[in-house]
Amino acid sequence: GGYTTYFRSATCPPGWSELPEAQGRLVVSVDTPSVSGLTLGTPLGDKEDRTHTHGFEASTTLPTKHVAAIDCCNDQAAGHGQYSGNGTSNGGTSGLPFTQLVLCRLDVANVSYTVPFGTVGFFDSSVEACPANWKPYDTAAGRTLVPGYPAISGTSKSLSAPLSSMEDRKHAHTFATTVSTDSVSFAGIDGCC
């Protein structure tokens, strides 16, 4: 018991039951059974691509500049010093494509079910170690599984470091901002130095 896998159907087939605690969550592979079944954050709703925002802080320092002006005015100058600002970005979604599949657990009563060699699946937190003839898929530890293109690149993984247990991975966005400065005006005087 405890073996789980995805099915391309609205319900689990006979001999399998849905794993409701996984609904709306990315399932991350672990190689330590004691951290299996831990959850972090709020699950996504049906077909939800969650909107999120980011807080930001920015500062800039304007150096002192010396100006000589002749023949009238310059109203494009700014006072020197440090200028700071902060705010919150507009909301945005990840925009990542996804497919929702039902995640089902093999019922204990269905122990005669044969799983093909090479199958990658998950075992829920009721399983304390891999069953006989199973071993952890170390390449996937700390990573989400994404259907890929085996005919092109075989089994591959991203260059990102794997997640550690209960890690809420941070990410960053670039942004541009405008800083309002203290204005300074100069008036030039016609004449000779």
Side-chain angles (χ1 to χ4, degrees):
Y3 174 72
T4 61
T5 193
Y6 294 97
F7 286 93
R8 193 180 61 189
S9 64
T11 59
C12 295
W16 296 78
S17 57
E18 189 169 352
L19 197 66
E21 59 269 28
Q23 287 180 333
R25 297 187 178 279
L26 293 175
V27 177
V28 178
S29 296
V30 297
D31 56 3
T32 306
S34 63
V35 297
S36 176
L38 300 177
T39 59
L40 182 66
T42 305
L44 296 171
D46 185 38
K47 300 181 188 106
E48 178 186 0
D49 188 5
R50 184 151 305 149
T51 300
H52 69 281
T53 61
H54 294 277
F56 65 87
E57 295 180 8
S59 65
T60 188
T61 301
L62 300 178
T64 301
K65 297 285 185 180
H66 299 285
V67 177
I70 299 177
D71 224 10
C72 197
C73 309
N74 179 347
D75 59 3
Q76 302 295 314
H80 73 281
Q82 183 167 348
Y83 294 89
S84 299
N86 58 47
T88 302
S89 68
N90 292 332
T93 63
S94 69
L96 296 173
F98 62 87
T99 299
Q100 292 182 172
L101 299 172
V102 64
L103 184 61
C104 302
R105 176 189 302 131
L106 180 62
D107 294 332
V108 176
N110 195 20
V111 293
S112 64
Y113 186 85
T114 303
V115 178
F117 176 78
T119 298
V120 175
F122 298 93
F123 288 89
D124 67 28
S125 58
S126 68
V127 178
E128 296 179 5
C130 286
N133 300 319
W134 287 82
K135 65 180 181 177
Y137 182 42
D138 295 329
T139 301
R143 300 178 182 278
T144 58
L145 300 182
V146 177
Y149 304 91
I152 297 171
S153 62
T155 301
S156 59
K157 61 183 180 182
S158 69
L159 298 177
S160 301
L163 294 167
S164 58
S165 180
M166 299 300 289
E167 178 183 348
D168 186 6
R169 178 78 45 96
K170 304 298 181 205
H171 66 278
H173 296 264
T174 58
F175 67 93
T177 186
T178 302
V179 177
S180 297
T181 62
D182 299 331
S183 63
V184 177
S185 295
F186 300 97
I189 301 174
D190 238 353
C192 181
C193 305

